[in-house]
Amino acid sequence: GLLSPVAIREAFREPWRGRSCAAVRRAGEADSTITDTGSPTVHRQAAPLYIDRLRKMLATPRVRKTDVDSIVFEAESRRQEAAAPAATKLGTVKGVFVPTLQNIMGIILFVRVPFIVGQAGILEGLGIIWLSCATALLTAVSMSAVATNGRPRSGGCYAMVKNSLGAQFGGVTGALLFLSNTFGVAMYVLGCVEVLQLSFPATFGDLPMRVLGAIILTGLAVIVFVGVEYVARFAVLFLFGVLLAVAAIWAGVIVHSVGDGKPRQGIVGVSGENMRRNLMSEYKEKAGVEWSFKACLALFFPAVTDPLAGSNLSGDLKDPQASIPPGTIAAVIVTTIVFSIQVVVVAGGAVRRDALIEFPLDDFPRVPRFVVKDLAWPHEMIVVVGVLLSTLGAGLQSLAGAPRLLAALGKDDLVPILRHFAPSDGAEPRKAILFCASLSMCLVMVGDLNAVAPFITLWFLTCYAIINIACAYLGYEKHPSFRPTYRLFKWQVSLVGCCVCFFIMFYTQPLSALGALAAAGLLYKYIETQPGASAHTAHGESELPIFEREPESPSNTDKGSDSETETMCVSPAHRTGPSDWRSGSRFKTARTAMLALEEGDLQFKYWRPFVLFLCAIDGDANYVRQRGMLDALAQLVRRGKGLALVNGVVVDEVAEPSLRKARKARRRLRALLRDRGVQGFADVVVSPSHEEGRKYLLQTKGLGYFRPNTVALGWPTDTKRDARGFLRTMDDTTAMLKTLLVFAGDRVFPGAKDPPLRGRVDVWMVFDLFPAAGLLLLIPFLLLRDDKWTQCELRLFVVSPRTDAGIEDDGKLEEAVKSMLKAGGVLAKVLVLRLGEEDAPRFARDDSLLTPTRQPSVRTRAKLTRGSSLTAEEEFILSEEFSSQPLPPEPPTPVSPPSPMRRIDSTGKTKLTVLLKEHSGSSELVLIRLPPQKREQPPQEWMVSVDRLIEGLRRVILIRESGAEKVQFFQ
């Protein structure tokens, strides 16, 4: 049977056994008489096409929501076609041409065009008309491209822009259209008031304009509140009144031109002499306003501010793609011709200039003469009634359309504060109607159409500029999701339309234009941060949500069925940022930057922390927490302007179940990265073992020369830890010329919700000055710039072999290290400690026999530091301070020292371990070089030795250099 979209969506949330579609059919039977809008289904018919498609989709382990949406859209379209007779659908003329024509040919045409001609003259008046109509025409071309970019759905211009250009543009456009239509109601009401007071001064002349406007607006609001369906039914009647009024005016011009009409003051009929007098502009101050071309342009532009009226009926059109472009453009062209005739023939040719700019009412000094009423033939009441029908009809349509825009914005949750105006399904947006009427009432209280019209112009122009610039950009970028079929669309046309909109805005009201654009920009950024925006793409689809089948419970797997009982659940999107019009530009920028990147660009002074974190994933596809490493990485990457790759391994054979598990773990990792504020990406691979999987990641992560330079690991504390596998991963990291960071300690690293730490950060340099080319100092330097570490003090412990000079050498070494720290821009307290290499066997060199009395100089040790960047001056300082000591001779054939485990006291601790505990036991963070594994030392024994070294320390970062580090730490 015919299923509603609600039935299909609910079916995907039911438990499924095997490959059956029974749940769909059950949902269809339960929902067969109710549609998704709550109205009874008129007609039901078989729909085997999408039922079969559902069966095929359910036979696959993963179902994308976009696929479900396509079936839901098809089901909804077929249901609507079956429920609604084709006769109710509107064609091009009634659905697009008539509403657009009615909205453009409004109050400005009858009341203000003659006055504009009296001020600007025929030539400049035509310039105002053609400039305004050209803007409307160019915007209509852009909207035609939007309408033909896929199948337009119901919801009007806002929905089409949102579905075609993205939620951000749609939200801003919807908000601007809402304000424009709401304030447009006030313009139509004030125009109606002027017509009543000019036509019936005895009846309405004594009523204040604000009072009469409030009464009319209240009546319109009541009509819309209780019977909005009648507004659309009488649209043709309203347009007929307008056309009849135009015909009466033109007939009056002809009658007065041939001399048969009743003579009136200032009306002379069409004559060459009168057109010559009215040809050029004569701007005069009237009603306290210094009139000019830009003032007249701002006054006239609201007349052509709604070429999108036909687009608002997209849901009621038989074929929106075929109706919207020709209907809208034809209406704009026809109204341009009508306005031009009004300027040249009616106002410029048949009426003297003094009559055009006359203000006949003393009580209303800002209301010009109703000239076209005096021109009408056979009776002036034809024009009066036509203009009243025009203003009231346009006011009703605007007051009926604006609340629906507001309700749609609230329903889409693009602006959360507007969700209160979203009505329940099938209900009228009564709260939105009252709110719109209240806003319009505020503008009616201004009591001056000349002041209200430029204000409305600003919002319409901002809206049109946004639509044009979006279409121009997407067309220029050749965005794959923007594929309009309208042949006349070119991105250059939209660009010209955008430029014209900006020109009119800044020419007429420069300060207000800046304010409007700033408000639109802030609204765009606000919508971009809302959850509702990330749920929409350029085609109204959710951004990569996936229906994933998961076992309901472990017991379900033991029921003996061929396939386990599964539940369809919607997984979250992989990132918070919406897919919008900038995605193409981002890709092109990234592509250009990647292609331009060369080897060495990310070295020396341009080095950034690009960290590959090899995390642990448990059997349930969850991230195994490791001492707050994600928080530490977030702080390091954020302050170093780097990037983090958080990658894990699912141990299994590559098959569909394991890949599905990896996808689940990847989504959870992505969500965790968003929650912790880690700037980077998450990924999970499937491998037969952790060791092999990590090898894959170490070799393949990165693109071109943009590859991680650092690998982060958590120190294993499990009693069943794989020491051999951990050492192999370390050796692989070194072989691939990457720096290794190992995070350890008894406490977790602080997170975003933890208070800042107060204490010390200690860096230990044992028998080596500035290992890893200064990374041992650069990493804490970056961490100390984060809010969690700024209140900590940095200390540098330099552990050097004993010398005969003793304290004197200690002072010289301390001063030399301080000078180098100063050159590197690091403020740290330096402490020099002396130890024999037998007291720190984990850091003793294997390739030399060194005695306590014969040590290489600091200069020699600095040279041995691979990748260091000591300047000649620094080397000179170090060499001078130890010049009295002769360089040691070349050592004899290397002899491996005894195992480090033999150089421990009865407690199992070396002197270095005791010093670490003594000086850094209460420090918040300790950074030290990772002790190397000695020759012939068993892996488990090496890990135990490191455990003893860091025992009792709060937080530790062990650093192992690869020998290829190229960091210019010292300037």
Side-chain angles (χ1 to χ4, degrees):
L2 185 66
L3 304 183
S4 71
V6 170
I8 295 176
R9 292 188 188 279
E10 290 299 326
F12 274 88
R13 297 187 180 95
E14 286 196 22
W16 285 84
R17 186 179 300 279
R19 311 301 187 192
S20 173
C21 287
V24 173
R25 297 194 179 280
R26 287 197 302 272
E29 293 172 1
D31 198 28
S32 59
T33 59
I34 302 297
T35 66
D36 60 328
T37 59
S39 58
T41 303
V42 178
H43 177 69
R44 301 175 71 242
Q45 65 182 23
L49 177 60
Y50 61 84
I51 290 293
D52 290 342
R53 288 172 59 188
L54 278 174
R55 285 198 188 99
K56 294 178 181 178
M57 289 169 59
L58 296 172
T60 60
R62 297 176 71 245
V63 181
R64 288 190 178 274
K65 185 177 179 296
T66 53
D67 299 332
V68 179
D69 281 343
S70 65
I71 296 181
V72 170
F73 177 67
E74 181 181 347
E76 183 178 8
S77 301
R78 296 189 62 166
R79 179 187 58 78
Q80 290 178 349
E81 291 173 0
T88 62
K89 294 292 184 179
L90 301 176
T92 302
V93 176
K94 190 175 180 181
V96 181
F97 181 78
V98 170
T100 306
L101 202 66
Q102 179 186 356
N103 277 270
I104 296 179
M105 295 176 60
I107 184 64
I108 300 296
L109 172 66
F110 299 103
V111 178
R112 288 297 184 268
V113 167
F115 175 77
I116 291 173
V117 174
Q119 292 283 352
I122 295 177
L123 291 181
E124 293 189 17
L126 284 176
I128 292 172
I129 300 295
W130 290 346
L131 180 60
S132 303
C133 290
T135 306
L137 184 63
L138 294 171
T139 304
V141 172
S142 296
M143 273 308 303
S144 299
V146 172
T148 57
N149 182 39
R151 181 177 179 179
R153 305 184 186 185
S154 59
C157 179
Y158 156 68
M160 286 195 300
V161 172
K162 181 190 70 175
N163 293 333
S164 185
L165 304 181
Q168 295 82 4
F169 275 122
V172 175
T173 301
L176 293 175
L177 286 176
F178 159 72
L179 292 175
S180 302
N181 283 281
T182 300
F183 298 147
V185 175
M187 182 184 71
Y188 296 128
V189 169
L190 292 175
C192 182
V193 170
E194 285 192 6
V195 172
L196 289 175
Q197 291 178 336
L198 290 171
S199 303
F200 310 101
T203 305
F204 300 102
D206 296 334
L207 282 175
M209 180 175 286
R210 295 179 178 86
V211 174
L212 185 56
I215 295 173
I216 295 174
L217 179 58
T218 303
L220 296 179
V222 170
I223 295 174
V224 174
F225 196 84
V226 299
V228 68
E229 65 273 8
Y230 295 103
V231 176
R233 293 184 180 181
F234 291 102
V236 177
L237 176 62
F238 294 148
L239 180 61
F240 177 75
V242 173
L243 295 179
L244 192 62
V246 172
I249 294 170
W250 290 359
V253 171
I254 296 174
V255 170
H256 284 88
S257 298
V258 298
D260 295 332
K262 184 179 179 180
R264 296 179 184 274
Q265 184 178 3
I267 300 176
V268 297
V270 178
S271 65
E273 179 63 23
N274 193 59
M275 293 181 67
R276 186 185 62 80
R277 292 175 179 175
N278 293 337
L279 187 63
M280 306 305 295
S281 61
E282 292 184 11
Y283 294 108
K284 298 179 181 178
E285 182 180 354
K286 288 289 184 178
V289 177
E290 188 67 34
W291 291 97
S292 61
F293 181 86
K294 67 178 182 180
C296 293
L297 177 61
L299 178 63
F300 172 79
F301 195 84
V304 294
T305 50
D306 207 1
L308 312 181
S311 303
N312 294 330
L313 299 175
S314 58
D316 299 321
L317 300 175
K318 292 179 183 179
D319 188 352
Q321 288 182 317
S323 297
I324 291 176
T328 304
I329 293 176
V332 173
I333 293 175
V334 169
T335 51
T336 303
I337 296 173
V338 172
F339 278 121
S340 300
I341 294 176
Q342 290 288 104
V343 169
V344 176
V345 179
V346 177
V351 185
R352 292 203 305 261
R353 187 184 293 271
D354 56 348
L356 294 174
I357 58 176
E358 181 183 357
F359 288 78
L361 299 180
D362 296 334
D363 295 335
F364 303 100
R366 297 178 66 86
V367 179
R369 178 180 171 182
F370 196 7
V371 176
V372 293
K373 176 177 69 71
D374 301 330
L375 271 172
W377 183 89
H379 200 278
E380 63 182 18
M381 290 306 298
I382 297 177
V383 174
V384 174
V385 173
V387 175
L388 289 176
L389 287 176
S390 170
T391 54
L392 294 176
L396 283 173
Q397 285 197 353
S398 297
L399 193 56
R404 279 157 177 76
L405 279 171
L406 185 62
L409 287 169
K411 188 175 182 180
D412 290 339
D413 203 22
L414 298 180
V415 183
I417 197 175
L418 301 180
R419 66 179 58 153
H420 304 289
F421 298 104
S424 57
D425 293 338
E428 289 292 327
R430 301 192 185 280
K431 293 182 181 179
I433 293 174
L434 293 177
F435 181 69
C436 293
S438 301
L439 285 181
S440 299
M441 187 68 73
C442 294
L443 214 58
V444 167
M445 292 299 104
V446 175
D448 185 5
L449 180 60
N450 296 337
V452 171
F455 183 70
I456 299 171
T457 296
L458 192 65
W459 295 110
F460 270 113
L461 280 170
T462 306
C463 176
Y464 293 168
I466 291 174
I467 294 175
N468 280 307
I469 196 171
C471 291
Y473 181 83
L474 293 176
Y476 173 76
E477 288 287 333
K478 296 181 175 59
H479 201 286
S481 66
F482 189 63
R483 304 181 299 273
T485 59
Y486 185 56
R487 292 179 299 176
L488 297 182
F489 170 75
K490 302 292 182 183
W491 66 267
Q492 295 90 340
V493 175
S494 296
L495 181 62
V496 172
C498 174
C499 294
V500 172
C501 290
F502 283 138
F503 167 75
I504 298 177
M505 289 173 62
F506 285 95
Y507 178 67
T508 57
Q509 305 172 79
L511 295 180
S512 300
L514 285 175
L517 291 177
L522 291 175
L523 181 60
Y524 179 95
K525 298 302 295 183
Y526 177 75
I527 293 175
E528 194 175 37
T529 61
Q530 299 307 307
S534 62
H536 298 279
T537 64
H539 292 289
E541 300 167 349
S542 295
E543 185 179 345
L544 298 183
I546 295 174
F547 289 97
E548 190 78 32
R549 294 193 184 90
E550 299 178 0
E552 285 188 345
S553 63
S555 61
N556 292 330
T557 61
D558 301 328
K559 294 183 180 181
S561 60
D562 295 336
S563 60
E564 59 185 8
T565 300
E566 297 172 324
T567 299
M568 306 299 294
C569 64
V570 181
S571 65
H574 73 285
R575 61 185 178 87
T576 56
S579 174
D580 58 13
W581 56 277
R582 295 172 297 177
S583 57
S585 176
R586 293 192 191 105
F587 177 80
K588 291 181 64 176
T589 302
R591 175 181 177 273
T592 303
M594 294 298 296
L595 291 175
L597 197 63
E598 296 181 359
E599 187 176 9
D601 286 351
L602 301 181
Q603 298 173 359
F604 296 104
K605 64 175 64 178
Y606 303 108
W607 186 91
R608 303 284 185 184
F610 190 177
V611 185
L612 172 61
F613 173 28
L614 300 177
C615 66
I617 303 295
D618 63 15
D620 296 328
N622 293 315
Y623 166 76
V624 179
R625 300 182 182 275
Q626 296 173 280
R627 303 180 184 87
M629 283 186 63
L630 282 180
D631 296 310
L633 283 178
Q635 297 157 12
L636 178 63
V637 170
R638 181 168 58 250
R639 297 306 173 185
K641 304 299 181 183
L643 196 64
L645 302 180
V646 181
N647 292 178
V649 179
V650 171
V651 180
D652 204 342
E653 295 297 328
V654 179
E656 182 59 33
S658 59
L659 292 174
R660 187 163 64 247
K661 182 178 179 180
R663 286 191 291 267
K664 185 195 304 182
R666 187 182 303 118
R667 291 195 298 273
R668 292 175 178 175
L669 268 182
R670 287 168 177 167
L672 189 60
L673 262 61
R674 290 197 301 269
D675 182 62
R676 299 296 181 87
V678 180
Q679 297 174 348
F681 305 95
D683 198 7
V684 177
V685 298
V686 179
S687 175
S689 67
H690 282 289
E691 184 181 342
E692 291 299 321
R694 289 178 171 181
K695 283 185 178 179
Y696 299 156
L697 294 173
L698 286 170
Q699 293 181 77
T700 60
K701 279 301 167 182
L703 188 63
Y705 294 114
F706 192 64
R707 294 183 178 274
N709 52 29
T710 307
V711 176
L713 290 171
W715 181 256
T717 57
D718 190 3
T719 56
K720 299 181 181 180
R721 59 188 177 184
D722 182 11
R724 189 176 302 276
F726 187 82
L727 276 169
R728 286 179 180 173
T729 301
M730 290 174 47
D731 293 339
D732 292 339
T733 302
T734 304
M736 296 177 189
L737 305 180
K738 301 181 188 297
T739 304
L740 178 64
L741 305 180
V742 180
F743 291 74
D746 297 335
R747 300 186 184 182
V748 300
F749 284 81
K753 298 181 180 179
D754 297 325
L757 297 177
R758 298 173 181 268
R760 297 180 297 274
V761 173
D762 294 343
V763 178
W764 285 74
M765 294 182 178
V766 183
F767 302 155
D768 198 357
L769 278 182
F770 310 110
L775 281 181
L776 202 61
L777 275 176
L778 182 58
I779 290 174
F781 172 78
L782 295 176
L783 286 177
L784 287 172
R785 298 170 66 182
D786 193 80
D787 296 339
K788 302 300 178 183
W789 299 92
T790 51
Q791 301 181 31
C792 293
E793 176 191 8
L794 179 62
R795 299 191 303 178
L796 173 60
F797 289 87
V798 180
V799 180
S800 180
R802 297 188 185 97
T803 62
D804 295 337
I807 298 177
E808 182 180 354
D809 277 353
D810 291 349
K812 292 181 178 180
L813 180 59
E814 181 179 345
E815 291 299 323
V817 172
K818 285 183 178 179
S819 66
M820 286 188 290
L821 292 180
K822 184 177 180 181
V826 176
L827 298 177
K829 183 179 180 181
V830 179
L831 294 93
V832 178
L833 302 177
R834 296 288 183 174
L835 275 180
E837 292 204 2
E838 70 278 2
D839 297 325
R842 301 178 185 88
F843 296 89
R845 296 175 58 86
D846 282 351
D847 56 351
S848 61
L849 285 176
L850 301 176
T851 63
T853 59
R854 300 187 67 182
Q855 301 294 329
S857 68
V858 175
R859 177 182 179 185
T860 304
R861 292 195 299 272
K863 286 184 176 180
L864 292 176
T865 303
R866 289 184 292 256
S868 60
S869 304
L870 300 182
T871 63
E873 180 182 358
E874 292 161 355
E875 291 188 0
F876 176 77
I877 293 174
L878 292 175
S879 62
E880 285 297 319
E881 293 170 4
F882 293 91
S883 58
S884 60
Q885 301 182 15
L887 291 176
E890 291 294 327
T893 303
V895 178
S896 177
S899 171
M901 296 304 296
R902 298 176 186 174
R903 294 174 174 170
I904 59 177
D905 58 18
S906 59
T907 63
K909 296 182 180 179
T910 63
K911 289 186 178 180
L912 178 62
T913 304
V914 174
L915 285 177
L916 275 171
K917 182 65 176 177
E918 177 185 349
H919 291 280
S920 300
S922 60
S923 298
E924 297 296 341
L925 176 62
V926 175
L927 295 97
I928 189 171
R929 187 161 58 94
L930 180 66
Q933 182 188 12
K934 297 297 181 178
R935 298 175 184 176
E936 306 300 331
Q937 185 180 18
Q940 190 63 38
E941 181 181 310
W942 174 80
M943 295 197 78
V944 172
S945 70
V946 178
D947 283 337
R948 289 174 177 171
L949 178 68
I950 64 176
E951 182 181 359
L953 301 181
R954 295 183 178 181
R955 301 172 188 87
V956 182
I957 298 180
L958 300 166
I959 300 180
R960 180 179 183 180
E961 67 271 24
S962 67
E965 287 79 7
K966 297 178 180 179
V967 183
Q968 186 174 343
F969 187 74
F970 302 103
Q971 302 299 322

